[in-house]
Amino acid sequence: MMAIGFKSSCRQGGIMSSSNDSCQKFTREEMVGPEVLEESGEKMSKKAAKKRAATLKKRLYRKKEREEATSSSSSLTEDESFSSNYGDVTPKSAAGRSWREAVEGKELTDVSNLVEEIVGSEVSLRGRVHNHRLVAKILFVILRESGFTVQCVVEEARVGTSMLNFVKQLSHESVVELIGLVSLPKKPLTATSQQVEIHVTKMYCLSRSLPNLPLAVVDAARSEADIEKSVKDGKPAARVLQDTRLNNRPLDLRTPANQALFRIQCHVQIAFREFLLSKGFLEIHTPKLMAGSSEGGSAVFRLDYKGQPACLAQSPQLHKQMAICGDMRRVFEVGPVFRAEDSFTHRHLCEFVGLDVEMEIRMHYSEIMDLVGDLFPFIFTKIEERCPKELESVRRQYPFHSLKFLPQTLRLTFAEGIQMLKEAGEEVDPLGDLNTESEKKLGQLVLEKYKTEFYMLHRYPSAVRPFYTMPCEDDSNYSNSFDVFIRGEEIISGAQRIHDPELLEKRARECGIDVKTISTYIDAFRYGAPPHGGFGAGLERVVMLLCALNNIRKTSLFPRDPKRLAP
């Protein structure tokens, strides 16, 4: 057998190429060519051996190039076959045409509806890139839509290298639309709201987000417990402060808790309307530009109205009463209310949504309290029934327990409430109003004694009520009025109204109101007016207390307080 004299490692039947780190086996024909396979009995010279080695080296390089070219061609063909399955959608782009063709006739599925019952189905989804991570050649993308999240799996073997790279470089918060198969993950998922995953076949980017955002939605969605845990673990997570949130409200609104809060708020309004309409009430809309104050005092937003002094309505109070005088009998309104107080508190806003009701009274102002006592438990019950997912989303970031309330709403007189506070060592003016601390203390006392966080306090001192509130017949120091509390904070003020024009005018003057500015209001009672009363509540405060939040700005879409007029 001839020996081949160049530096290499040889095995029986093969040779390792010095040009490659890996051992490749070759036949003798590949090594020396068929012309030297014959037994000649002669040894190859050193020069011939070198020449033969050089020839072999060239053959090895050519073979490797052919293999790489074949592999590259195959890969290119593979990626080209997937090229219509992804891309940035623009009006005239190829990806735009591919996207339209891919989604034609397909309905979008809400992420919240991705459940085990539809495993195996193909779905089309639209949402934002919440987060993603690469493991080997599999990219896990968390898709978020309206606060609900689902894990989407992008596998290189399924979609090709180019598509995987395209999805990998999408910035967080980019809007995408994808098509994929619903599947069950091998292990239960803890980082998403949905317990299925989507094996992606197509994904198109409809709008790219900036890579560097003022706040990360992932950070804004963290609970206080998560932040504290991260600090203990030595990897402190970012805490997004309230001003940062409100300055970038469109981003902040994307968190699951915020998405849920404003759906709950919507359903509070729906239940409010639903109950009142079932009781024969009519929804009305009153003007928000007024010639004079509707509540008394100076806390109004004043403006010029075509050369006339005017202000924004502090309440629909005067006009909803005039509607009663117009024989509408039972009315309600959901609309904006403006208060110019410099109240830098957790529960006051300069603009909020008012839930206002006015109704005829047949015998006694307790009829209004009867309505309230039925209306709000109805709302609380409907929220529990209709918004379980939303309540859970809020609890994940802001833990709270469901509101405790009685089947028969508790009523206490103002004097009884004062007595409870005095027995607990609190000093309170019996003819004054309750401050925030006194309200919270009384709320604790009521919860301990009566096991409820929703109750009424009625027969308030006349001195702390608006000018149009009817005094009690037996003692003019008190009035036919009431407040309603949730978790120790006031949400409703209500009362019987004065329907006698002379008494109304007298009370207006006593409260420092220029009677001329409300003359049309007082005149409405000169034409004959039935006994009537009503109440008003702030929608944002109701939702804040229902969900036990610590600041009303969390439940105002774009809050307006003494220092904030934007965004």
Side-chain angles (χ1 to χ4, degrees), residues 321 468 470 496-501 504 525-526 528-532:
Q321 281 187 259
Y468 48 75
M470 181 70 78
Q496 180 180 356
R497 322 302 186 186
I498 296 173
H499 60 283
D500 176 79
L504 189 60
F525 299 98
R526 301 188 193 282
H532 62 279

Side-chain angles (χ1 to χ4, degrees), residues 549-564:
L549 299 171
N550 62 1
N551 199 299
I552 197 169
R553 291 157 185 80
K554 286 185 170 72
T555 56
S556 176
L557 195 65
F558 295 99
R560 295 292 180 260
D561 60 29
K563 288 188 174 181
R564 181 169 292 280

